[in-house]
Amino acid sequence: MSAQKKVAFYTLGCKLNFSETSTIARNFQSEGFERVDFSEKADIYVINTCSVTDNADKRFKTIVKSALKQNENAFLIAIGCYAQLKPEELAAVDGVDLVLGATEKFKVTNYINDLSKNEMGEVHSCEIEEADFYESSYSFGDRTRAFLKVQDGCDYKCTYCTIPLARGISRSDTLKNVLKNAKEISEKGIKEIVLTGVNIGDYGKGEFGNKKHEHTFFELVQTLDKVEGIHRLRISSIEPNLLTNETIEFVAQSNSFVPHFHIPLQSGSNTLLKLMKRRYLRETYTNRVQTIKKLLPNACIGVDVIVGFPGETDELFLETYNYLNELDISYLHVFTYSERPNTEAVEMDGVVPQKVRTKRSKMLRGLSVKKRRAFYESQLNNEVTVLFESENKEGYIQGFTENYVKVKTPWNPNLVNTLHKIKLTEIDDDGIVRFDWVKTPSVV
């Protein structure tokens, strides 16, 4: 009998990609492959790509090179958003053997025959209109938190975004299936589930392969809250127009949903929000933040923001900067606008020079550091619960509180994936928070 074939995975991009990689890896394992780390020698390397930032495109080539360094005869497969948008481009990269689009990636093992290297990458990529069925997925074993996919695709037409071209229309998992997956995760001893998707507030649409709604995101949240054995549920990223007050009110009194929201803003200027074709104005965003803070004063609020969008003058950028500076939020994810083919924004006037984009990005990143620090300071002396992660980071174990404060204590493997009551005491030089045990755990 031939030796067991080894497969390794590399994931670029979002939590949704991590959940899908994990599911695809389990498919390989159920077919007899052994999963190894990407830094080890493998027979097959699968790279799950992202198209959100320019950088992700460039990193792909570097990752291919590092795989071939481990094994120059390895069979290389590219999947994910960039593979759907630019299959020919990825197939032309030296060493790439197979490129699979949005619907094909979940059947990857069907496309592997003899693993002999191809002269030129072979492409199997659907027309994105065909990506209209739902593939359920979740991650576990890779981290102490599990990413549970509940929705895929997007019907929004934001002028800078290629995600609808890469992932197709908005569609959802059935509520029954989400619950089944959540139970499976909790039975594996995982303490925290992060709900993920492309536009999760749109949950329910496409549950039957059409636009008919049986359930809403609010009903999903209510139902998941009743699943036994899950200690924490976290909503990943949700559009401000889809985060309803009833959802915020429910989280405020929930058993397991944590006080942490990540809400994309993209710009603090109504002029730019309209150019971006976002589905809300700044006033809606302000209302959401105020509602959260009124009901959950210690909630952590993360914000996505884009700098350098066409038409962003100095005045409009400062409008965003000042708006965020005054808003009661906890951190920013800053994206520098990058031109994407087949998007409306590419044709727009008022292109912002790269140098200016870089400078604005730096300013907002600096603001994010200030915001996070202020949020952490506001949490000192509070009693909270920490869930510890699994990595030894320079002699320390790190964890996150329910409201997403990062803490650390000297490394102790017995603390991995355990929950403990702590009192936050001080912010260390590296910006991570130290604490006292409220009750010293027996494993310490």
Side-chain angles (χ1 to χ4, degrees), residues 99-362:
V99 179
L100 298 179
T103 61
E104 292 80 7
K105 64 187 169 193
F106 291 102
K107 307 187 285 266
V108 58
T109 52
N110 299 357
Y111 292 95
I112 302 166
N113 301 321
D114 56 357
L115 296 189
S116 54
K117 297 290 284 173
N118 294 329
E119 276 298 303
M120 172 79 183
E122 194 180 305
V123 173
H124 295 273
S125 178
C126 64
E127 289 301 316
I128 198 59
E129 290 73 30
E130 291 166 30
D132 59 359
F133 58 90
Y134 186 85
E135 288 281 354
S136 129
S137 69
Y138 62 85
S139 73
F140 71 88
D142 309 326
R143 302 171 175 211
T144 46
R145 298 193 292 277
F147 299 133
L148 171 59
K149 173 181 163 186
V150 298
Q151 183 275 342
D152 199 350
C154 188
D155 292 341
Y156 286 11
K157 300 283 186 284
C158 301
T159 53
Y160 51 80
C161 186
T162 54
I163 297 290
L165 300 170
R167 282 189 170 269
I169 58 168
S170 178
R171 53 211 189 273
S172 309
D173 206 348
T174 61
L175 194 55
K176 190 177 158 197
N177 207 34
V178 172
L179 287 175
K180 177 178 93 54
N181 287 340
K183 285 189 179 111
E184 277 177 26
I185 292 167
S186 75
E187 280 159 14
K188 290 181 167 71
I190 289 171
K191 308 277 196 297
E192 180 173 314
I193 292 178
V194 183
L195 301 184
T196 182
V198 175
N199 187 356
I200 63 172
D202 210 21
Y203 174 80
K205 195 186 272 185
E207 244 185 302
F208 304 97
N210 55 25
K211 293 296 170 210
K212 207 170 97 194
H213 264 263
E214 184 172 324
H215 299 102
T216 61
F217 181 70
F218 180 54
E219 287 171 320
L220 171 75
V221 165
Q222 285 176 303
T223 313
L224 279 170
D225 200 47
K226 297 183 187 117
V227 175
E228 279 177 32
I230 297 168
H231 299 268
R232 284 183 178 182
L233 284 154
R234 205 177 284 277
I235 298 168
S236 60
S237 182
I238 182 162
E239 294 283 306
N241 50 306
L242 296 174
L243 176 58
T244 59
N245 284 343
E246 64 178 356
T247 301
I248 298 167
E249 284 158 17
F250 185 81
V251 168
Q253 52 80 50
S254 148
N255 304 315
S256 41
F257 275 91
V258 295
H260 175 206
F261 296 88
H262 192 95
I263 316 167
L265 168 69
Q266 311 312 10
S267 174
S269 149
N270 281 343
T271 308
L272 289 176
L273 288 173
K274 286 172 187 168
L275 280 174
M276 291 174 170
K277 289 197 177 164
R278 301 292 286 155
R279 297 197 176 190
Y280 54 88
L281 294 174
R282 191 168 97 166
E283 291 70 17
T284 301
Y285 200 91
T286 309
N287 174 272
R288 293 298 177 269
V289 171
Q290 286 170 347
T291 305
I292 291 167
K293 284 296 184 177
K294 192 173 91 193
L295 296 170
L296 293 154
N298 292 312
C300 176
I301 302 175
V303 183
D304 286 343
V305 61
I306 295 172
V307 297
F309 187 79
E312 186 184 60
T313 59
D314 286 345
E315 291 74 26
L316 293 182
F317 169 70
L318 283 173
E319 205 181 314
T320 296
Y321 185 92
N322 293 331
Y323 173 68
L324 287 167
N325 193 26
E326 285 158 29
L327 203 60
D328 193 358
I329 51 153
S330 319
Y331 64 89
L332 304 171
H333 279 172
V334 184
F335 297 90
T336 304
Y337 171 75
S338 58
E339 281 77 3
R340 284 277 172 267
N342 304 318
T343 58
E344 276 186 64
V346 163
E347 311 293 329
M348 288 182 183
D349 296 333
V351 174
V352 178
Q354 288 295 347
K355 254 191 182 147
V356 178
R357 294 183 209 185
T358 307
K359 183 181 155 205
R360 288 176 187 171
S361 168
K362 242 189 200 144

Side-chain angles (χ1 to χ4, degrees), residues 4 20 27 36 62 64 75 97 109 114 117 141 152 165 204 238 242 277 289 357 367 383 403 426 428:
Q4 194 179 17
E20 292 181 343
N27 295 346
V36 297
T62 316
V64 168
F75 193 81
D97 298 290
T109 52
D114 56 357
K117 297 290 284 173
D152 199 350
L165 300 170
I238 182 162
L242 296 174
K277 289 197 177 164
V289 171
R357 294 183 209 185
L367 179 62
E383 284 191 11
N403 61 344
E426 60 176 325
D428 216 342

